[in-house]
Amino acid sequence: MKLNFSKLISISTFCILIASCSFLTSEQIKQRKQGAGPAGVDLLNNFSRKHNQKYSKVPKIQVKTIDTNEYGPTTSEYKTHNRPKRSSLVPVVALLLGPGINRIGAHTQLLKEMEKNNIKIQVISGVGMGSLVAAMYASGITTSKIEWDFYRLFKKIDEKKPYSKSWIEDVQKLITRYFYKKSIQSTNLSLIIPVYDNGPKKVRYLTRGALDSALSSNLLLSKPDDKHRFSTPFQWEIFNSGPFYKFGADIVIGIDVLGESIDFKTGNYKLFDVFNKIATRVQTQKGTLDRLFTMAGTNKLDSLKNYPTFLQQSMENAQIITGQIKELINNWKLSKLDQLKNQGKTGQ
């Protein structure tokens, strides 16, 4: 019986493929079954099965974080890992934006004022809704556009309870619009997104990975029977300067928009308790920062009532705070000059 030569080649190729598959390691087989990348953790586990199906195309997040010290503040890797550029007499300033639901509008007023005064920040971060402001600003979206997008969002969710399913879905749409398939390390400024990892029970400071997934995690409150892998970190940490110094920051500044006035129009006592604890935690953690500034208003956290007045007050506060930030930077420069002079004398 004659066998066609092309058929013989096809059969041989097929056999080689079958044989190669049999030599996969048990770990490779496990990864392929789970659909996970070599350094990936699927943040979609944060959501319900229905939610997972709806956002099944969200890319996996790579859990390579500052706390592993794997990526140090080296200028040579700046473009790859979004490092801050360094100069001996120009401090690397890190700005950490606290949570506050509707009050995060105060963050945009400060960013506007800092731009007017030519105060440059090299590292930006945030928790809760503050993480979304940080991501938008780090991506090069103008402060006016950020302010307008949030105003439209707040109008849309004005009658919804914060952190409810429908509230999360509306905020998620804004995240998807700007950050679908975007990575943390691709932003213009160095961006760090903290998330709480329910596996080892610790806050991770993400410097790379899927940006939309990290921001989505900041919309999820952690519960005792939590099935989510990641959630918002503000129930544990709001301002922790340690990871930012490790990343290369010289000055770490926190912005609190809660203060002592915590109130909701929806009468949500659980949220009231959560945010009261956050406000207390802010005061206990502020000692790790070079400076904490408070831009709190008296408006309810989930209401647009008197919102224009709140923004006006925030702008006035921002003008004062900006002056104090300039002073903080100038003092750092003077201290650095003295240090360099002393080093010169020692070397003589």
Side-chain angles (χ1 to χ4, degrees):
M1 182 177 66
K2 293 183 178 180
L3 186 63
N4 186 287
F5 183 75
S6 61
K7 285 184 178 180
L8 182 62
I9 294 296
S10 299
I11 293 169
S12 300
T13 304
F14 177 75
C15 292
I16 290 169
L17 287 172
I18 292 295
S20 66
C21 290
S22 65
F23 289 102
L24 289 174
T25 65
S26 59
E27 185 60 28
Q28 287 174 321
I29 294 169
K30 185 179 178 182
Q31 285 183 354
R32 290 194 179 189
K33 284 181 178 179
Q34 293 175 343
V41 175
D42 194 346
L43 276 187
L44 291 176
N45 291 332
N46 292 331
F47 304 102
S48 64
R49 183 173 297 176
K50 183 178 179 182
H51 193 98
N52 284 353
Q53 292 169 354
K54 187 174 180 181
Y55 295 101
S56 60
K57 294 183 179 180
V58 177
K60 297 176 178 62
I61 191 161
Q62 294 172 312
V63 186
K64 297 232 176 173
T65 58
I66 299 170
D67 55 10
T68 65
N69 203 25
E70 190 163 353
Y71 301 112
T74 55
T75 312
S76 61
E77 293 184 340
Y78 174 72
K79 289 185 178 179
T80 305
H81 301 304
N82 209 14
R83 297 288 154 216
K85 291 182 179 179
R86 304 191 64 81
S87 173
S88 59
L89 289 176
V90 179
V92 173
V93 178
L95 191 67
L96 319 186
L97 308 180
I101 311 181
N102 288 17
R103 285 191 197 165
I104 60 168
H107 292 318
T108 60
Q109 304 307 306
L110 178 61
L111 291 168
K112 277 184 183 180
E113 202 61 35
M114 291 178 74
E115 285 181 349
K116 287 179 187 177
N117 285 269
N118 199 30
I119 298 174
K120 299 186 184 301
I121 54 175
Q122 290 80 10
V123 184
I124 192 165
S125 179
V127 295
M129 291 285 279
S131 66
L132 185 47
V133 178
M136 292 174 80
Y137 190 74
S139 300
I141 301 170
T142 65
T143 50
S144 296
K145 182 78 171 91
I146 296 171
E147 185 177 8
W148 176 243
D149 278 339
F150 275 113
Y151 182 70
R152 287 193 300 181
L153 174 65
F154 294 155
K155 282 184 71 175
K156 189 174 182 180
I157 61 178
D158 194 41
E159 298 302 320
K160 298 180 179 181
K161 289 186 177 182
Y163 299 97
S164 65
K165 183 180 177 182
S166 59
W167 184 92
I168 288 174
E169 286 177 350
D170 283 334
V171 181
Q172 179 67 47
K173 288 175 185 175
L174 182 63
I175 293 173
T176 303
R177 188 203 315 169
Y178 283 116
F179 304 116
Y180 180 64
K181 289 190 176 179
K182 297 289 178 66
S183 63
I184 298 171
Q185 68 269 27
S186 67
T187 53
N188 300 347
L189 291 177
S190 296
L191 176 65
I192 299 174
I193 302 294
V195 296
Y196 183 72
D197 190 339
N198 287 291
K201 306 294 181 186
K202 65 183 292 186
V203 175
R204 295 187 179 276
Y205 291 81
L206 304 178
T207 58
R208 59 181 295 181
L211 181 51
D212 54 353
S213 296
L215 294 173
S216 297
S217 294
N218 268 273
L219 303 179
L220 298 171
L221 297 176
S222 185
K223 301 172 184 176
D225 58 343
D226 210 340
K227 296 179 181 179
H228 305 136
R229 171 67 190 273
F230 297 96
S231 58
T232 182
F234 63 52
Q235 291 168 275
W236 290 268
E237 287 181 12
I238 302 96
F239 300 120
N240 177 7
S241 62
F244 297 90
Y245 290 130
K246 189 179 289 188
F247 189 68
D250 298 304
I251 299 174
V252 183
I253 298 167
I255 307 298
D256 171 37
V257 295
L258 291 177
E260 297 178 357
S261 177
I262 309 294
D263 200 6
F264 293 88
K265 69 174 183 180
T266 52
N268 192 322
Y269 296 109
K270 287 184 179 179
L271 269 185
F272 181 80
D273 182 55
V274 167
F275 275 83
N276 256 321
K277 288 178 180 177
I278 294 171
T280 303
R281 197 168 285 115
V282 166
Q283 296 306 310
T284 59
Q285 294 176 0
K286 68 180 181 181
T288 70
L289 303 168
D290 288 290
R291 193 69 181 273
L292 174 70
F293 295 104
T294 301
M295 299 184 69
T298 56
N299 58 314
K300 297 182 190 305
L301 271 66
D302 58 345
S303 174
L304 273 182
K305 188 178 180 181
N306 300 323
Y307 195 71
T309 303
F310 166 67
L311 290 181
Q312 178 63 33
Q313 291 172 344
S314 298
M315 185 182 69
E316 293 168 1
N317 285 336
Q319 291 170 350
I320 297 169
I321 290 170
T322 300
Q324 294 174 331
I325 291 175
K326 287 176 77 172
E327 185 180 353
L328 187 64
I329 292 171
N330 287 334
N331 289 339
W332 183 92
K333 288 180 178 179
L334 290 172
S335 175
K336 192 69 174 178
L337 277 170
D338 288 341
Q339 184 182 345
L340 291 172
K341 286 178 183 178
N342 291 332
Q343 286 176 355
K345 289 177 181 178
T346 306
Q348 288 177 354

